[in-house]
Amino acid sequence: MAAVKETVDAVVELERYKYGFTSDVDTEFAPKGLNADIVRFISEKKGEPQWMLEWRLAAYERWLAMEEPTWASVRYEPVDYQDLHYYAAPKQKEGPKSLDEVDPELLEVYRKLGIPLKEQEVLAGVQGAPKVAVDAVFDSVSVVTTFKAELAKAGVIFMPISEALREHPELVRQYLGTVVPVSDNYFAALNSAVFSDGSFVYVPPGVRCPMELSTYFRINASQTGQFERTLIIADKGSYVSYLEGCTAPMRDENQLHAAVVELVALDDAEIKYSTVQNWYPGDAEGRGGIYNFVTKRADCRGDRSKVSWTQVETGSAVTWKYPSCLLKGEESSGEFYSIAITNGRQQADTGTKMVHLGKNSKSRIIAKAVSAGRSDSTYRGLVSVHPKATGVRNFTQCDSLLIGKECGSHTIPYIEARNGSAQLEHEATTTRLSEDQLFYAQQRGLSEEEAVALLVNGFVRDVLQELPMEFAVEAQKLVAISLEGSVG
Amino acid sequence: MTAQRLDLRDPSSFPSRRVEAWKYTDVRRLLRDTPPASPEAEVAPGGPFAALGGEELAFVNGRCEGFPGIVAKGRGEAPMRLRFVSTADGAGHQPEAAIEVTAGSRLVLLESHEGRAAGYVANTRLKISVGEGASLTRIVLGEDAADALAFVRAEVTLSPGATFEQVTATDGARLQRFETHVSHPGQGASVRMDGLYALSGERHADLTSVVTHAGLDGQTSQLVKGVVRDTARGVFQGKIVVERGADGTDARMAHNALILSERGEVDAKPELIIYADDVQCAHGNTVGTLDESALFYMQQRGLPAEEARALLTQAFLFEVVDRIEHDGAREGVREWLTARL
């Protein structure tokens, strides 16, 4: 009986979205709705320079003139942009001077999320354990950034973008909006007008960032949109690895997350950007969950520069996301490794764009989609080769796995080749989980769910291997949890 | 979006590249108004498949005297030649034809689109139905003028157990599109839908297809290959839809293209839209140029570079030709292609 009880408990535990708690943090809101005054309010709150306010207002004007895109294979209740708070911040009297001054409720949230914010905790850990510097963004503001001093020694700037706007305005101004222009798309324009925080990273020439950088995004307040903005610049010959994790409470309302991430890699620089996206996906009937409408783009400006995107997408009710690379530098290279898992009524339309502008630029795309329940998953990608880009090479592989009769899986890759010397290859397959393999695994004593988790982990292995160690373990568990209840 | 049908009488139906299904074939850029109607004309019997005999039906400038539609009965071996001939400079026409292959029958349809004028606009629409257990082989040759705008849209409805084999071979036009929509009921029906394009100069050819699997155990196989030279542009858009419940579907699609010039262009969009889980679907898509090591090997053995190149290109495209089952049609297409390489 004990074993039965344990199993029941385990299942109950697994069915729960682990990060679905809300925390009672005293929060300051901007009034609902969006207008030029709200944009001014946010800019003033952040103590921004005048040029930044003007930039935001221009973005707001552009946004007003744009229409929400409808081409993605997703359906959702339209967002009422006037019924959202565009700014929510945990209340603090003064900026905290150290972690001890941060609201204990907040620290509790991060403890629950399993994110070590206290540097000593990390240091007290296993000898030689890799260090990770963390920037934690709670609703609209960054609450804490760790290891700043040690990073500064190496010359690396890692801080909330709101702080960077004050301390390094020249750097921010030089690069902000140069990869994703304000008018790039509807959500990018919205983000440009109202973004409140996010991370800023600058790695100076020749520096290999001494530790992984990481940001945890948390939407806590209800009826709030999160609009973070991340800007990472890797100067000549530098290297940085950046991790991003996201969670949100369970609510039966849909919340909007519209982020913009811009990466700039100069000559010989390399950026590795990894995401584990686990926003609340909504319940089994599709109530609630995050709308994840994100613009991520890397500009491989320098010769021999390299950007690698790795994403594990398991959360969100609706995902609309195409981390891309503009391969401008000669011999620059872009990589995209993706796992998208949808269950319940989730919808994901995700993929990448590799735009080859530089001679001998290379790209590689490995996308794995797993759909279960009544979910829908679409891979949408573009590989384009411009007339002057000779010697371009691309390899793309998209595999989809279907679990159950009511899900959908779609593959829409575009190839646009305008140069005779390009070599582009794309292959895609769609199948269901093999009955033979399931049977084999079950025969050897695994339960059906364990067998599914094992096989799916095998299916996505190529991508999991690209994740930094700390994330790989978490992601593997997440894969299993996301598929709970998808069989039988 | 595929619902948008080009109608020459209605300029608002001319799609621009903003319409997703016409992204790579922008009609509006070249055609804004309804062209003047093509006059009546006559042509002598013949056409590219004349040597294969069989009955001939010719639409000249969109007209075919007393055309009742084609109804094929029985399992005769003689092919039927369906010709669409354009003879009026700068004029437009919009022929429509219906073809029915009754249950258990067999038809080999040799269709040619022949340009005998400059700058015409032809918009051909076909409705084809293939009855239970019937078989249709449709070979389409595009021989349009270099400055013509030519569009062919075929809607094919298959019944259970039907066999549909189609090969489209074309050398393009200023703007040319062959579009095929197949409604596939599964249940023993099978589809093979191949294509090839060999383009030079400033020509443009677009092979677009949508196969919708609505029933159990359907099969689809598709191989499209193309070669572009100079500043020509090849477009391939192939969509396979597997509807909910269409389990046991086996669908494979491949598109391979060679760009043999610096400024040639190939745009490809293969799509899999799948709503059933017990399926095997795959597509492959490659764009590249001739293999340097193969060229080197052949030259080492005494072949001049030009000849080696021609031989490799021919071998590349002949893979599609070799899949044509009807002997006469296969050799006819081979000859047609050889003359264009």
Side-chain angles (χ1 to χ4, degrees), chain A residues 97-252:
Chain A
K97 299 216 169 39
S98 73
L99 265 181
D100 302 333
E101 291 179 26
V102 174
D103 186 341
E105 273 283 348
L106 258 181
L107 291 180
E108 181 60 18
V109 171
Y110 282 94
R111 195 193 57 74
K112 279 197 215 163
L113 294 173
I115 301 159
L117 291 179
K118 294 195 176 182
E119 293 168 19
Q120 60 269 33
E121 270 181 21
V122 180
L123 295 170
V126 186
Q127 278 282 310
K131 287 181 206 163
V132 179
V134 177
D135 182 22
V137 175
F138 197 84
D139 290 332
S140 304
V141 297
S142 173
V143 288
V144 62
T145 308
T146 62
F147 284 110
K148 263 167 121 170
E150 191 165 340
L151 286 168
K153 242 186 276 166
V156 176
I157 305 172
F158 178 41
M159 57 175 60
I161 198 159
S162 53
E163 207 174 308
L165 268 165
R166 292 191 295 270
E167 291 184 24
H168 305 279
E170 71 301 330
L171 266 180
V172 179
R173 194 170 185 177
Q174 186 184 346
Y175 290 103
L176 189 71
T178 61
V179 185
V180 180
V182 163
S183 54
D184 187 78
N185 68 68
Y186 187 80
F187 299 110
L190 177 64
N191 174 287
S192 301
V194 302
F195 80 83
S196 42
D197 229 327
S199 300
F200 175 81
V201 178
Y202 173 78
V203 190
V207 170
R208 193 177 166 89
C209 188
M211 64 187 82
E212 310 262 357
L213 304 183
S214 167
T215 301
Y216 274 86
F217 294 102
R218 172 79 181 164
I219 298 179
N220 192 61
S222 74
Q223 295 177 310
T224 309
Q226 189 174 53
F227 307 92
E228 87 262 6
R229 184 114 189 169
T230 298
L231 176 59
I232 299 176
I233 302 138
D235 213 323
K236 290 178 183 167
S238 66
Y239 169 85
V240 63
S241 166
Y242 181 89
L243 324 171
E244 172 192 70
C246 337
T247 58
M250 285 160 70
R251 288 216 174 79
D252 57 9

Side-chain angles (χ1 to χ4, degrees), chain B residues 299-315:
Chain B
Q299 286 178 60
Q300 256 197 336
R301 267 145 195 77
L303 279 178
E306 266 320 296
E307 218 170 295
R309 219 175 284 277
L311 207 59
L312 283 172
T313 311
Q314 203 174 58

Side-chain angles (χ1 to χ4, degrees), chain A residues 29-35 38 81-86 222-224:
Chain A
F29 289 100
K32 269 190 187 174
L34 181 55
N35 52 49
I38 291 289
Y81 291 93
Q82 296 306 332
D83 194 34
L84 285 179
H85 291 290
Y86 286 83
S222 74
Q223 295 177 310
T224 309

Side-chain angles (χ1 to χ4, degrees), chain B residues 8 35-43 59-63 84-94 114-123 144-145 147-150:
Chain B
L8 293 187
S38 302
E40 240 173 274
E42 277 184 30
V43 293
F59 281 78
V60 183
N61 291 345
R63 294 176 188 81
F84 294 92
V85 190
S86 301
T87 68
D89 290 351
H93 46 271
Q94 190 158 271
E114 306 163 34
R116 308 272 176 85
Y120 58 86
V121 184
N123 184 34
D144 281 302
D147 58 358
L149 309 186

